[in-house]
Structures are given as C-alpha cells and as structure tokens.
Amino acid sequence: MQPTTRFDPRVSGLSQQVKTLASPQEVYFEKARDIRAEYIDGALHLYRHEDILAVNKHPDVLGNGGGGGSFGHDGKLIPLEIDGPDHKKWRRLLDPMFSPKRVQVLEDQIRRLAVDLIENSRAAGGAEFNSEFCTPLPCQTFLGLVGAPIEDLDFFLEFKEGVIHPKGDTTEEIEANMAVAGGKLLDYFGRFLQDKRKHLDDDDVIAELLRSEVGGEPLAEFDLINILFLLMFAGLDTVTASLSCLIAWLGRNPEHRQILVDTPELLTPAIEELLRYESPVPLGMRYPVRDIDLGDGLVIGQGEQISAFWAAANVDPTYHEDPMRVDFRRPRVGHMTFASGVHRCLGSHLARLELRIAMEEVLARIPRYEVDVGALAYDNVAVRTVTNLPVVIA
Ligand code: HEM
C-alpha cells in the first residue's frame, strides 16, 4: 500500500473530473462497477457500498478529524472531527436538539415560507430558484432554529461559501482562503455569544447550548465555537444543494414529476430515491489507526487517507439493483447520502422535513414548472449544487 500525504479532496483528480457534470453518476457508477479501491493523489478511494459500510463501522477507523483540523479552523469541529467516547458525549448532547420531534414543530413555519417564496416566483413568471427558493427556505429556517440573526444571513452565506467552496487550485491555497472565511466567523461569534449570554431563556439551539452542562460543567467557549462553526456550514449548504438537485432533476424528468403530482404518497420514497441518485455530499474522509482488513485481499494501512465516495456507493451495481434507474418504488433504497456509522448526519431529520415540505408545495403550486436545461450549471465539488437553476412558471 502506498503512503499517503495529506491533500484536500476538492483538488483531487476525481473531484476535478466530475466538477461541472450534470450526470457525475455515470462516472461514479463505472468506478463502483469496475474498481474496488484505487489510489488517486495518494488517497485511497473506496467506491463500493459494502466496503464503505465496513469502514464506517470499524472500531479502528477515525472520521474526518483523523487527518487534523480542516475547513479553515484550528479547533476540532464538534462532532465531525471528534472520535471515540468524546464523540458519543457530544452526540448525546446534540442529537435531542435535532430529533424528529424537535424539528417537527417547524412544519407550519417552513410551509408558510415555502408558500411565500413560490408565490413570489409565480407572480414574476419564474425565477432563478437556487437564490430565490433553495437558499432562503432552509437557511432562514436554520438560522431561526439555532438562534442566529436572520438579518446576518448574507454574512453566514459568505462564510459557508468560503469554507465549503473555497477558491484555490492547491491544498495550500484552499487552506489559506478557508482560514480567512473561518477567522471572520470566529470574530462574529466571539461578539455574538457575549450578548447571547444575556438571553439564556431564548427558545433556540444556541441558548440551549449555553444552558447545557457536559460532565457537570457548562460548555467552554471554545467547545461552543467548535460546535457552531460546524453547524453554520453543515446546516446552511446541504439542504440548499439537495433542494436544487431535486428541483432540477424533476424539471428535467417531467414524466417522473407527474407521477408525484398524481400519487403524492410516493413523495417520501421519491425524495429518498433522489437523495440516493443525486448524492449531494459526494464523499467523506476516514483514517484507520491500525491496518484494517476488508477481506478478499483489501488491507488498508494505518494512517492512510481514505476517500469514501458515498456518491459511488449509492450507484454501486454490486449492491443496488439497476442503480442508474430512478425508481420511486424501489423496494430497498439503503443510501449513504447521510453517511453511516457514528458520524451519520446529525441534521437528517431536519433536512428530510424541509425537503418534503418544499417539494409538497412546489408540486401542488407549480406542478408544470419548466427548467431551462441549457442554462443549468452544476458544481459537484464538495457539495453537489445546481448553482444556476432558471425556472419558468407559465
Ligand atoms: C440533505 C442535507 C444533508 C446532507 C446530504 C448531509 C450529509 C452529511 C454527511 C454525508 C455527513 C457525514 C460527514 C462525514 O463523516 O464525513 C454529515 C454529517 C453531519 N451533518 Fe449533515 N447533511 C445534511 C444536512 C444537515 C443539516 C441540516 C445539518 C444541521 C444540523 C447537518 C449537520 C451535520 C453534522 C453536525 C454532521 C457531523 C456528524 C458527526 O460527525 O457526528 N447536516 N452530513
């Protein structure tokens, strides 16, 4: 096995190969079909569902934090870059704040916002949906839930762009640009938390964190920052991206959209199927602390950098039947879009709620929307997003 040097997967050969493709699934499918594991730029790329599942479950494998700090922040992001018992401790604190029951109370508020945004676009005869719908709906919802000022949305959007889609062609350039974006957020939260401590009774995640204790002690300021830094980009980018992918896909496949208009009870499985096919977060990093044996001769060495391609596992023909076909009645979707194992996404219940309500309102109010296919622009690096999504509403 080859030694690994640290590199940012955003500049890797495969990320660059699929960078602007409308259908990167074709590339991922061929990888998963033909190759079990390969080195690209020193990182071991895994493409198959069973291997990635085994890695995610393995007690000797660390998550993203195994490679040291990332996303332009020196501290370890909580819980993404923490492992072992400490990771369990943080998830025990955070899981209830994003549980199905906790997010369900947002349903009416999300629906009202979705209706307003759709009706504004309808009145205008259409809109660029990434900026007019897919961004404001989840981002305003998320800021309200965590208790960050909605009027500062543009600041937070600039921050998440800076750490998820940083400019730069090399790992060094990317890290320098992320550090600038991250530094601004640290300054912001330094000031913001001082003020927020005067409003501990607020009904939001930040106030709850400020009231919480871990191991009998209130949270230290740096732990709070390490949580909020992650939440602000994990919560702001991913649902926007997923929504843009779903609306574009259904716009390009009107016969499938009509199935959902005629059979609304298929919407929930259809969202799961489209999350599988579109895989908005294409990959994650993993780091074995000992040699691990995945069977049939595949041994991954201690300290190697693994790029686990959720997007390839989701179209892996050795696991999924006919994976390139989108089938809203697929008997077993079993996708890895939210990863798996201990680092499984904290925000999946919120994401699913937002996607369901958004799509219910889109299908009910503008069921025959058209997308300008020639003008669609995709960015598949780090988080797959339709960055230009012109929608025409007749
Ligand atoms: C459809 C939308 C979303 C997708 C596709 C998604 C995907 C993922 C994936 C693949 C991971 C695993 C990362 C890794 O281990 O490398 C993850 C983790 C995480 N996600 Fe999400 N996510 C979404 C929405 C959200 C939202 C709305 C939040 C806000 C609370 C969130 C918060 C997190 C956090 C905190 C983690 C780290 C969990 C841990 O390490 O224990 N995500 N997400």
Side-chain angles (χ1 to χ4, degrees), residues 146-211:
V146 297
I150 290 179
E151 55 277 16
D152 291 339
L153 176 58
D154 286 345
F155 169 79
F156 292 120
L157 290 177
E158 196 186 315
F159 156 73
K160 68 95 182 160
E161 278 301 307
V163 294
I164 305 226
H165 307 282
K167 295 199 170 37
D169 296 324
T170 63
T171 297
E172 292 70 30
E173 281 172 21
I174 284 182
E175 286 187 349
N177 287 330
M178 286 192 303
V180 173
K184 288 186 194 163
L185 190 82
L186 297 184
D187 287 348
Y188 178 97
F189 272 123
R191 290 190 305 275
F192 176 78
L193 288 175
Q194 253 180 358
D195 187 57
K196 188 75 179 173
R197 286 183 193 282
K198 297 177 203 143
H199 301 93
L200 290 184
D201 291 337
D202 286 358
D203 180 17
D204 56 52
V205 167
I206 298 180
E208 188 169 347
L209 287 169
L210 287 168
R211 294 193 300 267

Side-chain angles (χ1 to χ4, degrees), residues 55-88:
V55 161
N56 283 349
K57 275 203 296 218
H58 205 292
D60 293 329
V61 175
L62 302 181
N64 197 67
S70 51
F71 297 105
H73 181 48
D74 293 337
K76 276 184 170 274
L77 299 178
I78 299 174
L80 182 71
E81 297 183 336
I82 308 283
D83 283 285
D86 272 356
H87 177 264
K88 273 204 187 78

